[in-house]
Amino acid sequence: MGSTVLSLRIDGELLDRLRSHAAKRGMSVQDYVVRTLIREDFDERFKTAVDETEKFYGEADGEPGADTATGTPRDHVRPSAGIA
C-alpha cells in the first residue's frame, strides 16, 4: 500500500492540543492523527457490521437480541464495544 500526502489547515489552538495528546503517547502529531483516523474508521465499520448483523437476524418486537420464536430476550452481550 502506498502513501499519499494530505495537507490540512487547522487552528493553532487545535494543533497545540494535538501536539499535547501526541506527546503524552510519545508520538508525532502526524502519527497521532493517522491513528485517530484509523480508529474512527474501524469504529464506524464495526458499528455498520453490527447493525447489518442485527438486520440479518432480525429483532422481535423491536427488542434487540430478543428470541424471534418467543419474543423474550436472549442471555448474551451485544457486541457494541462501547459504540453509541
Side-chain angles (χ1 to χ4, degrees):
M1 174 165 67
S3 64
T4 303
V5 174
L6 171 65
S7 177
L8 299 172
R9 182 181 304 257
I10 61 173
D11 180 74
E13 200 172 297
L14 174 58
L15 181 58
D16 289 342
R17 288 197 316 266
L18 289 172
R19 282 185 181 135
S20 174
H21 290 300
K24 288 177 187 175
R25 291 160 181 81
M27 304 169 74
S28 69
V29 172
Q30 178 179 336
D31 288 342
Y32 177 77
V33 169
V34 168
R35 284 184 182 238
T36 301
L37 292 171
I38 290 169
R39 185 178 62 239
E40 285 295 317
D41 180 59
F42 171 81
D43 289 350
E44 187 175 312
R45 288 183 292 129
F46 183 80
K47 181 176 182 338
T48 300
V50 169
D51 292 346
E52 290 299 316
T53 300
E54 288 176 348
K55 284 181 194 173
F56 179 78
Y57 287 105
E59 297 180 14
D61 300 326
E63 188 172 330
D67 185 321
T68 55
T70 64
T72 58
R74 287 186 225 134
D75 292 330
H76 74 279
V77 177
R78 289 186 58 209
S80 63
I83 301 172

